[in-house]
């Protein structure tokens, strides 16, 4: 198994050259005090070290050992506790946290790159800090000042970890039908009872306390999604002086046997009158969740890229070293028994498909991170509204498209190894199993597509979409005289036109028939994603060609990968558009018996 | 986990109505003596029972327990030995075997359907009979009469099992560089030394003896693929009277930890001067392997369908029962907390994608089976040549396309379950892990694509392809006045034209640049496969519409699934053709450093 090496050069290239993130940070109040290019650079460098040396080496053992459950206690795999401690001491747990409560206040553009390294090096482990960050975000956005002061500093420090408790056995996508109850008790607290499932790191031995954010229903709550409230429920009660008190009335009933991310504990959590505190307003729990979801969903998209990057590094190394058969044009290394895999066109197709997705995807997640930073820190209301619209529009694309392509990339990276990819030794099959969850959790990708098509496109009559389309159209126009860029602008414009065309079609049709939204959604999101990545690749080409690509294999590689992306991958948009245009009739025609 | 139910109605519909296989069997000497419609029907019925009752219930436990290796011995999972015995007693092991040596002589059209049930119900277990059938085929085609008489009856009876020993640690796709040696010894036997890996069921406790077919090099063998010979190497020596003698000098060194098919043992086999006998001519070992490969490769394609069918059955049942959210057009079951998943357009898209692949794929594998039967049994040389050409052309498509779509279907079938698909309970994640191997072994799918594009299309200047294309063109012409079929004939003709167009382009270009073959191959095979399945769906529509579809949900479901296939899946050919047309430049341009 190749060692994980964080793709620092590409990350810096995107951050500093393609997007000039430092200029954005400098102009945004709330960010400019905390971050400058040197700090960012030092953080990236250190992140590369800690993921290569601390988390990556534990990934395989974590998968093989898994977590152990006994009498309600969960033991993490060997080394996880120490690694958690190392990350804690390095200050990584609060990287994006609010400085008012001890966080480091770093922008999402930078935190996203840290997340890619962490998740790419060890996804099972990486879920723990990810959940803590998500829970902290929701607490910071919606909880009372008292709760924030009591819980955030230890969450940001990593002394305590966080957990999100949403799903119930009968209620996954449809949270409106949850049954967990919250009964008001003394001291503004509530007693929570019910069973939650699929709770990542809901119980473990790495942190002193675990802070659960639990969705539950108040006694008088209206039915459906408008009757859900959010509660903070600690594993151990926290005394006034901040010390830990008695154990709360909750326990981990079991952990799941699952396909991958086996290093993490996926818990059944039983709440039996556990004491909790309301976060945000009564019955507005789903709103409180949505605040963090844009961040989390981008984080899951980034997990897809991370896993794909790890798989690519392994596959590329293998393709350079493994000798098998001769190049179609004749022996390249006559002195050896065979040529390396890399001479074969189809092996190159596989590697370039991965590279096109990963580097284009990394650009896209950084770009979305930039919009998240703007939405959070910009003061001017017009720009803020625009940023919020872009975040709303692009988040489901980032989550679903990057994880679908991430999984596809891991499968390709496994395929490069042939039979050796199917056995454990090289780690490629673990990456496939791990990456698979990213398409499912935090809103299954089909749900992301419905969110995009229904809430983000159709519901506002394409208003958000227009902002995005105008930006690309503007880019095309501004660069129409750039010789190096021109070959890419025409197919980019064609893809954009295709996307705009089906956007209009679906908006029109769905006014008559609501099924048109769900019938179009997944292929629409794909079409959107391929177009968005084409825009990213065009922006990369613009910078790489100006930096004198030929002399530097990093830059010339970018230009050639862009060629591959535009000629081999972007054409998929043609078929996707045609599928969307065919509408809902064919899929709605069948009775249940006809399936 | 839903119970596996063999799709008998669909199998009979294909066999009897779509392809009228009984008419073919009746006209072919060598087949007509052994098979008639009643026998075929009874075999299907019984196969449905044995797979539902014997093999399916062991699948999950086989995955969880796996095989155990200790001191060279392999213990199969609980129940496997008894199931093997049951199949043996039922005569299933020699279903397609040569009657001269105790086989049942059944046609591939029928055996293929048995294989689908067996593999769909339990792939890890099913590999054992599959390997035995493959080894028997090679022995029957190439070994001496003496070896055949000595080994085939017990192989067909299942008393002994078979194994194929090809791969070595450094030699997978490139068998020309194997290092295993065969040194001539007394009595026409040879002493074999070397290490083979990835040997499915190379060692186990289910049969009394294991007959290995081993590729090795004679001392004077020329280098490369033309210096490989095939040897029969039994685990236990067989005495003149047929009783078992001493153990041969070979041992299983270990078994692999792998992603799936964990119920099967994947062995490292060490040969240390093991006694073996030449099968076929010296240095013609690869030829001997190719005889069986068309059968085996179709068998692997069928594994893909089998796994997908199992996943579909589970997903459909879940989609009908699981209540989650409301239909876009309003509550369908106001009395329940939510509507079943099946009301949602995107869930239907997932199920119909699976159904389109599986039923179209089953038709295609049956169609290829028909050509295999013709190639084997037809006497007239012109027809035989045609049949052999069709088998050669279609086999790599069946292997790669059906396993790629099979894996895709299993991933979709897992997605229908959301988080529940990722945990072990419902069996969906196992099917994904099991199905994944079918894309890798028996010639990785990229190699199948090279075989199709290079050897089967370019090498004969499209001659084989013309036979296939003419058949479809003939079908379109003959049915142009069929009202029910007409809507499907136009897109079928368009897809065929697209395929013929890129066929010509690649043949032309590859004359100048051999890289064009490998650059086009995978997308070409996909384009071929989607077109072939469209032809299958058109043939299904022809029969279903004539049988008065409306009154029978099985038949009306066929017509509606065909609509879905043509409107949502077949459009993928447009993009695939465009990708192929873009040629090899983009993927060959990069130096190793630029990746």
């Amino acid at each position: 198994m190749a060692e994980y090496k964080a793709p620092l050069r590409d990350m810096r290239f995107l951050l500093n050259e393609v997007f000039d993130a430092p200029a954005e940070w400098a102009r945004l109040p709330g960010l400019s005090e905390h971050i400058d290019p040197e700090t960012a650079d030092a953080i990236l460098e250190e992140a590369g070290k800690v993921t290569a040396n601390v988390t990556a080496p534990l990934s395989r053992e974590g998968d093989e050992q898994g977590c152990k459950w006994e009498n309600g206690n969960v033991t993490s795999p060997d080394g996880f506790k120490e690694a958690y401690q190392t990350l804690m001491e390095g200050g990584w747990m609060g990287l994006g946290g609010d400085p008012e409560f001890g966080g480091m206040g770093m922008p999402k553009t930078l935190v996203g790159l840290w997340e890619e390294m962490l998740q790419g090096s060890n996804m099972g482990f990486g879920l723990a800090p990810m959940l803590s960050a998500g829970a902290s975000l929701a607490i910071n956005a919606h909880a009372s000042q008292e709760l924030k002061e009591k819980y955030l500093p230890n969450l940001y420090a990593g002394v305590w970890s966080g957990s999100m408790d949403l799903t119930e056995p009968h209620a996954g996508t449809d949270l409106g039908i949850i049954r967990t109850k919250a009964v008001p008790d003394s001291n503004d607290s509530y007693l929570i009872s019910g069973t939650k499932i699929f709770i990542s790191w809901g119980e473990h031995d790495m942190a002193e306390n675990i802070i659960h954010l639990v969705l539950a229903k108040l006694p008088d709550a209206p039915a459906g999604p408008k009757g859900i409230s959010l509660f903070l429920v600690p594993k151990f009660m926290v005394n006034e002086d901040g010390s830990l008190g008695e154990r709360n009335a909750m326990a981990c009933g079991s952990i799941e046997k699952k396909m991958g991310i086996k290093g993490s504990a996926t818990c059944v959590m039983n709440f039996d009158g556990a004491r909790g505190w309301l976060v945000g307003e009564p019955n507005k729990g789903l709103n409180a969740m949505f605040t963090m979801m844009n961040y989390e969903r981008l984080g899951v998209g980034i997990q897809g890229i991370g896993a794909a990057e790890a798989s690519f590094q392994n596959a590329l190394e293998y393709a350079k070293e493994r000798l098998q058969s001769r190049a179609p044009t004749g022996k390249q290394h006559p002195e050896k028994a065979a040529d390396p895999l890399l001479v074969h066109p189809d092996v190159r197709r596989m590697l370039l498909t991965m590279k096109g997705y990963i580097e284009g995807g990394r650009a896209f997640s950084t770009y979305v991170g930039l919009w998240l930073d703007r939405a959070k820190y910009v003061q001017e209301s017009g720009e803020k509204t625009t940023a919020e619209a872009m975040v709303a529009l692009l988040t489901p694309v980032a989550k679903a498209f990057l994880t679908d392509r991430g999984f596809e990339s891991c499968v390709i990276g496994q395929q490069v190894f042939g039979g050796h990819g199917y056995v454990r030794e090289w780690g490629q099959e673990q990456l496939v199993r791990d990456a698979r969850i990213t398409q499912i959790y935090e809103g299954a990708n089909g749900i992301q597509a419905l969110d995009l098509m229904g809430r983000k496109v159709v519901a506002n009559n394409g208003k958000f979409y227009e902002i995005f389309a105008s930006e690309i159209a503007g880019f095309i126009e501004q660069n129409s005289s750039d010789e190096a860029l021109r070959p890419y602008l025409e197919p980019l414009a064609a893809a954009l036109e295709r996307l705009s065309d089906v956007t209009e079609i679906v908006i029109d049709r769905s006014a008559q028939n609501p099924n048109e939204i769900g019938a179009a959604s997944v292929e629409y999101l794909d079409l959107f994603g391929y177009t968005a990545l084409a825009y990213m690749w065009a922006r990369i080409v613009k910078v790489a060609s100006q930096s004198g690509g030929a002399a530097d294999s990093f830059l010339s590689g970018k230009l050639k990968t862009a060629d591959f992306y535009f000629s081999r991958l972007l054409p998929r948009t043609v078929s996707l558009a045609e599928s969307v245009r065919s509408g809902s009739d064919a899929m709605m025609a069948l009775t249940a018996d006809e399936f």
Side-chain angles (χ1 to χ4, degrees), chain A:
Chain A
M1 189 172 175
E3 282 170 23
Y4 175 79
K5 281 186 216 77
L8 291 181
R9 170 131 194 219
D10 197 38
M11 290 175 166
R12 288 176 173 136
F13 171 71
L14 291 172
L15 218 47
N16 300 324
E17 300 182 58
V18 178
F19 297 113
D20 196 6
E24 283 290 286
W25 301 337
R27 82 176 176 98
L28 294 175
L31 264 186
S32 54
E33 309 88 285
H34 303 292
I35 180 80
D36 55 57
E38 292 70 33
T39 308
D41 203 58
I43 288 174
L44 287 178
E45 190 72 28
E46 197 54 33
K49 284 184 196 154
V50 80
T51 50
N53 301 330
V54 178
T55 50
L58 298 173
S59 180
R60 180 165 169 192
E61 195 56 30
D63 180 65
E64 302 215 346
Q65 274 191 24
C67 285
K68 289 187 185 59
W69 179 92
E70 209 183 330
N71 295 328
N73 295 317
V74 171
T75 311
S76 56
D78 290 350
F80 273 39
K81 220 168 154 171
E82 293 75 13
Y84 186 92
Q85 197 71 25
T86 305
L87 262 64
M88 213 177 107
E89 286 161 7
W92 295 105
M93 303 304 194
L95 196 65
D98 186 343
E100 191 187 336
F101 303 101
M104 279 178 68
M106 291 296 129
K108 186 70 186 180
T109 26
L110 186 67
V111 174
L113 297 173
W114 152 248
E115 287 174 336
E116 188 201 316
M117 298 186 226
L118 176 64
Q119 305 296 341
S121 68
N122 189 336
M123 201 188 292
F125 176 86
L127 273 173
M130 185 170 172
L131 267 296
S132 293
S136 306
L137 201 68
I139 293 169
N140 196 33
H142 296 283
S144 66
Q145 184 72 10
E146 193 189 338
L147 287 175
K148 289 197 227 181
E149 285 171 4
K150 195 162 184 178
Y151 291 97
L152 285 178
N154 275 336
L155 278 166
Y156 289 147
V159 180
W160 300 344
S161 78
S163 171
M164 310 294 314
D165 303 43
L166 285 64
T167 305
E168 299 183 7
H170 69 292
T173 295
D174 189 359
L175 291 168
I177 56 174
I178 60 166
R179 294 180 191 142
T180 297
K181 298 270 176 244
V183 181
D185 196 55
S186 57
N187 279 333
D188 295 339
S189 70
Y190 295 79
L191 299 181
I192 317 287
S193 299
T195 297
K196 295 287 180 179
I197 63 168
F198 300 159
I199 311 308
S200 292
W201 290 112
E203 176 57 44
H204 61 88
D205 57 355
M206 301 189 295
E208 293 173 13
N209 198 3
I210 303 173
I211 312 305
H212 293 259
L213 290 188
V214 183
L215 288 182
K217 293 199 153 196
L218 292 167
D220 57 351
K226 289 178 180 162
I228 299 176
S229 304
L230 183 64
F231 297 88
L232 185 158
V233 188
K235 176 180 169 185
F236 290 103
M237 309 305 286
V238 179
N239 298 323
E240 287 303 310
D241 64 355
S243 64
L244 295 184
E246 63 182 9
R247 175 108 190 201
N248 210 342
M250 53 189 286
C252 173
S254 64
I255 58 175
E256 305 287 347
K257 289 188 182 173
K258 53 197 192 294
M259 183 183 196
I261 51 166
K262 293 188 183 187
S264 71
T266 305
C267 303
V268 174
M269 294 303 303
N270 298 316
F271 297 87
D272 191 19
R275 192 169 301 278
W277 287 266
L278 189 65
V279 174
E281 292 174 52
N283 301 328
K284 295 274 172 74
L286 279 189
N287 291 10
M289 296 306 303
F290 281 131
T291 304
M292 58 155 290
M293 276 192 182
N294 285 337
Y295 278 80
E296 285 296 293
R297 288 182 168 175
L298 177 59
V300 174
I302 286 171
Q303 287 190 310
I305 302 171
E309 168 71 32
S311 182
F312 177 74
Q313 290 184 14
N314 294 343
L316 179 58
E317 189 177 314
Y318 192 78
K320 286 180 176 176
E321 289 177 3
R322 171 86 171 174
L323 305 177
Q324 205 79 176
S325 305
R326 292 297 185 182
T329 50
K331 296 183 184 184
Q332 302 295 300
H333 297 270
E335 77 287 3
K336 294 181 177 163
D339 289 329
L341 290 183
L342 194 62
V343 304
H344 301 293
D346 188 55
V347 172
R348 289 170 160 258
R349 179 192 61 79
M350 292 195 270
L351 292 170
L352 281 167
T353 302
M354 298 176 80
K355 193 170 159 74
Y357 288 152
I358 294 164
E359 296 176 6
R362 181 176 295 125
F364 185 61
S365 68
T366 305
Y367 171 78
V368 178
L370 218 49
W371 283 112
L372 274 164
D373 286 336
R374 287 180 192 138
K376 188 169 175 183
Y377 295 104
V378 155
Q379 305 291 319
E380 194 273 311
S381 77
E383 196 191 347
K384 200 174 191 75
T385 306
T386 299
E388 283 168 350
M390 285 292 268
V391 165
L393 179 75
L394 301 178
T395 295
V397 181
K399 195 280 180 181
F401 190 74
L402 299 183
T403 58
D404 282 348
R405 300 292 84 73
F407 178 72
E408 189 182 331
S409 296
C410 290
V411 170
I412 295 172
Q414 180 184 27
Q415 193 74 17
V416 170
F417 281 72
H420 296 276
Y422 197 69
V423 298
R424 310 213 68 175
E425 189 179 350
W426 293 89
Q428 295 297 77
E429 63 90 31
Q430 183 189 338
L431 290 166
V432 172
R433 289 185 288 105
D434 286 354
R436 183 69 183 96
I437 191 59
T438 63
Q439 302 172 285
I440 297 173
Y441 65 13
E442 201 64 30
N445 285 358
I447 300 299
Q448 302 295 333
L450 282 177
D451 179 49
L452 171 70
M453 187 87 265
R455 283 191 220 135
K456 310 296 174 60
V457 173
V458 170
N460 57 46
N461 246 314
K463 211 178 79 188
F464 292 0
Y465 173 75
E466 271 313 310
I467 305 173
F468 180 64
S470 306
E471 181 181 312
I472 300 181
F475 177 85
I476 293 171
E477 205 186 310
Q478 284 151 32
N479 293 286
S480 57
S481 59
D482 183 326
E483 285 297 324
L485 251 185
R486 203 175 295 153
Y488 307 90
L489 296 181
E490 195 196 324
L492 174 62
L496 182 63
E497 197 182 324
R498 221 168 273 139
L499 180 61
S500 297
D501 177 52
V502 300
T503 302
E504 205 175 312
I505 289 174
V506 179
I507 291 173
D508 284 353
R509 287 184 185 165
S510 60
Q512 310 301 321
N513 179 0
N515 282 326
E516 292 289 332
I517 291 171
S521 52
V522 162
E523 276 125 336
Y524 179 82
L525 187 146
D526 267 356
L527 172 54
F528 197 120
Y530 278 108
T531 307
L533 257 62
Y535 173 45
M536 294 298 109
W537 274 109
R539 291 189 63 167
I540 291 168
V541 165
K542 182 178 162 73
V543 175
S545 60
Q546 283 168 357
S547 312
D552 178 346
S553 67
F554 173 83
L555 295 173
S556 56
K558 289 285 183 199
L559 299 177
K560 291 175 182 177
T561 306
D563 288 343
F564 180 86
Y565 184 86
F566 277 86
S567 64
R568 303 293 293 206
L569 301 177
L570 189 59
R572 296 186 187 183
T573 53
V574 181
S575 294
L576 288 166
E578 196 167 320
S579 289
V580 173
R581 283 192 202 101
S582 75
S584 68
D585 291 352
M587 66 189 78
M588 300 314 295
L590 287 82
T591 64
D593 287 343
E594 288 174 331
F595 273 91

